[in-house]
Amino acid sequence: ANRAVLTALLAREPVELSRVVHHAARAEELQVLAAYGPKAAREASSAGAHRQARAHLRTVLNAPLDLDPATAAALWQSYAIESYTIDAPTPDALAAQRRSVELRAGADPATLVGPLRWLSRISWWAGDIAGAEEAADAAVALLEGPGANCDTDTMALALSNQAQLH
């Protein structure tokens, strides 16, 4: 039944993203879920429906999808940020941001600064002050390190994060 509803939903314009995600998950249509789940989450978030965005992201992240590390990292971070936005400091929100940072290991250091700042913020919010300070220091260290290509806006955000912790 879910597969039939999903087929009908995908044939209609405009596509109702939230319903597509619901039926794709239940029909175990992983390719459809991977394609529409992040879109549904972004749509919900931009409409201010952060709990719904978080639920869509959780559905996608719970599915056995074969995502490339950059895509998976972005989804884990979005989940963590949506949790932060709705003030749901659950252990899985902090774990999600840690996973986002781990998935970016070995990537261009510039792509790690923002996720480290978020890890710092979410760690602080979850009560892990030492983890917050460690992530904040790591973000600044990346910006000050040899060969760092640091723009002033990024550095200002990283230093502001450190200042908030102090």
Side-chain angles (χ1 to χ4, degrees):
N2 282 302
R3 192 164 276 121
V5 172
L6 180 61
T7 301
L9 287 170
L10 292 171
R12 294 177 34 187
E13 288 294 331
V15 174
E16 296 177 61
L17 298 175
S18 185
R19 292 182 66 200
V20 166
V21 170
H22 172 84
H23 291 288
R26 278 147 190 78
E28 297 180 1
E29 289 289 341
L30 299 180
Q31 289 182 338
V32 175
L33 184 60
Y36 288 92
K39 291 177 187 176
R42 285 190 300 273
E43 178 183 77
S45 183
S46 67
H50 299 287
R51 290 182 193 285
Q52 186 65 45
R54 182 176 182 253
H56 289 319
L57 290 162
R58 180 83 290 185
T59 298
V60 171
L61 292 166
N62 282 343
L65 301 174
D66 185 26
L67 301 171
D68 65 86
T71 300
L75 290 172
W76 284 110
Q77 180 164 307
S78 293
Y79 179 82
I81 291 170
E82 291 299 340
S83 297
Y84 178 83
T85 302
I86 64 170
D87 196 25
T90 59
D92 67 319
L94 181 53
Q97 189 57 28
R98 284 185 179 139
R99 181 73 179 131
S100 175
V101 170
E102 290 167 6
L103 286 166
R104 289 177 167 98
D108 173 22
T111 65
L112 199 51
V113 173
L116 282 168
R117 278 191 358 266
W118 271 109
L119 179 57
S120 174
R121 190 78 188 148
I122 291 169
S123 294
W124 173 83
W125 170 66
D128 179 8
I129 305 308
E133 291 172 348
E134 181 181 325
D137 292 346
V140 172
L142 284 174
L143 293 168
E144 294 178 335
N149 186 9
C150 172
D151 68 80
T152 56
D153 290 346
T154 303
M155 180 58 91
L157 287 169
L159 292 173
S160 172
N161 183 61
Q162 273 188 326
Q164 290 171 356
L165 293 172
H166 293 288

